[in-house]
Structures are given as C-alpha cells and as structure tokens.
Amino acid sequence: MEAFIKNLARGAGKILREGFRTKFKVNHKTAPWDVVTEYDLASEKFIIDKIQKKFPRHGILSEETGLIGKKNNIWVIDPLAGTLPFSRGYPQFAVSIGFVSRGKGRFGVVYDPMHEELFFAQKDRGSYLNGKKSAIYQPAELKFANIYMALGTGVASDHERRFTFNKLVLPYHLWRTGTVAAALSLAWMSAGRLDVAITHLPVWDNCAGALLLTEAGAKVTDFKGRPFRWDKGELIAAAPKIHGEILKVLKKM
C-alpha cells in the first residue's frame, strides 16, 4: 500500500507539474476563489482510474467528483490542493490523498511536485518527508507561535474567523503563516515549519494532513477537544503542551 499511494501522488503530481504555467481555461464554481482547471480533472482521473483498477471495491471521495462507492474503505482525494495559486502561476499547490478504513485514517500523502517534497504517514508508523522521519516543532509557549488558519466561508465561518482572530491570534501575538493550500500547510506543520493549525474545511483538505500531524507528534482534535474525525471539517492541531490552551479559548466560540 505504501508504494502504491506514493506512486499515485507522484503520478498525479507529474500531471500538475507539466501543466503548470501553460495555457489553460479556468472555470469558477461557487465563488471567485473557487476555481477548477483541466489539470484538476486530469489529476483526479489519473488517481481514480488507478484506485479502481487496484482496489475495485474501495470507495472514493474526491473534491471534483464527490463520493463513489461505500465508506468502509475509502480514498479521500484533493487532486489539486491549491487550484487558485496553480491557476495564477504561483508554485504553492499539492496532491493530497488519504486512505481511511473503518473510520480511521490509515495512510496519508501530500506531494508538492514543484519542490519534490513528499510527505507520507502510516498509522502508528510515523510521519516522513522524502523518506526521513519528521516531527512537529515543540514551542515553549503559545505566545508568538506560527499559526495557519483556514476557516472556510459563509456566515458561520465569519464568526469563527472573528472569534479566533480576536480571542487567540491578537492576544497571543500569533504569526499567521502557511501556504494557500490547506493540505500543504498541514504537511508543512508535520515537518516542523508551523506551530499551530486551525481549520474548518471540506474533508479532503484535512484528511491526509491530519494523519501526517498525528504521526508527527501533534495533538489533533475538533473544536471541542474530541478526537479528530476524517468526515468532519473541524481541526485543531498543535503540540500537546499548547493544545490545551488553544482549546480553552476555542471552546467558548
């Protein structure tokens, strides 16, 4: 399985790399920032075709196609995480693939094809970057930590963004960093480049990254402190030492 999922990500990444900064049509879905290109679809088709050939009984949940099959064993795919930067010629995008069995994340990979960085995790086997074991950074305190926030859109998300910024980011002087692509930011955090991640996004944005973070030593929960669920959009990830402090704030949201 490890070789299969890694090759799957690399193959899809090759499609994206070859299409990057070429001429292609950009279509808008629900909003100006919600776009899709022919390369999202080509990457998705490559991944789905390979999975269906190798594991015909497995389900697939992909950003562009939706749910195919059942959820007992399911592949959760973002074939182009970061379509907007991809479409603008900004090299900050990735392929994200998670495999979930009986409700638990078992494998996760996030591949950045422009920088040849492959982040990989297997449940209870650790988190790796290009084959070398990786770990989250362990800040001494929450104050001045680097935080990645992605809290979606809509009225409910407006409240989440305001609350998190006013009650957490400003009082603790947190630095907002990360990439435009949520999956890639979570992967970066698993390699020690960020300190905190708070997201409320579609499941394909979080699935692989959550396993990378857990296996790299982060505590990963929802906004109420319950164990992270792949089929829910809420994620708080941080070093165990500071996670409780974050949770204490967000529980009041």
Side-chain angles (χ1 to χ4, degrees), residues 51 84 154 170 223:
I51 292 172
L84 186 59
L170 288 178
F223 291 177

Side-chain angles (χ1 to χ4, degrees), residues 20-21 82 85-94 112-115 179 184 188:
F20 185 54
R21 291 179 178 163
F86 177 89
S87 71
R88 303 284 182 89
Y90 188 44
Q92 206 175 81
F93 54 87
D112 175 352
M114 302 310 297
H115 300 96
T179 77
L184 188 54
W188 275 19

Side-chain angles (χ1 to χ4, degrees), residues 54-97:
K54 181 78 171 177
F55 302 106
R57 295 185 179 181
H58 286 188
I60 300 170
L61 177 61
S62 183
E63 178 178 8
E64 307 306 332
T65 299
L67 179 63
I68 304 169
K70 299 179 180 180
K71 288 187 178 180
N72 282 343
N73 293 292
I74 187 165
W75 297 81
V76 184
I77 301 164
D78 192 342
L80 174 44
T83 303
L84 186 59
F86 177 89
S87 71
R88 303 284 182 89
Y90 188 44
Q92 206 175 81
F93 54 87
V95 178
S96 178
I97 305 170

Side-chain angles (χ1 to χ4, degrees), residues 228-244:
F228 172 80
R229 286 183 52 178
W230 77 270
D231 56 348
K232 302 295 181 183
E234 296 180 0
L235 177 147
I236 302 173
K241 184 175 181 179
I242 63 172
H243 186 281

Side-chain angles (χ1 to χ4, degrees), residues 136 142 145-151 164 168 174-175 177-178 182-190 193-201 205-206 209-210 213 218-223 228 233-239 242-243 246-247 250:
I136 62 164
L142 179 57
N146 290 311
I147 183 172
Y148 173 73
M149 286 173 52
L151 295 172
T164 305
L168 189 68
L174 303 184
W175 293 83
T177 54
L184 188 54
S185 289
L186 300 185
W188 275 19
M189 183 178 164
S190 74
R193 299 174 187 173
L194 304 170
D195 303 325
V196 177
I198 299 174
T199 69
H200 194 175
L201 295 168
D205 288 310
N206 289 339
L213 286 165
K219 184 171 183 178
V220 185
T221 70
D222 68 9
F223 291 177
F228 172 80
E234 296 180 0
L235 177 147
I236 302 173
I242 63 172
H243 186 281
I246 298 166
L247 191 60
L250 293 189

Side-chain angles (χ1 to χ4, degrees), residues 116-127:
E116 287 289 348
E117 290 194 323
L118 190 143
F119 303 83
F120 168 80
Q122 181 178 353
K123 184 172 173 56
D124 300 326
R125 297 287 183 88
S127 191

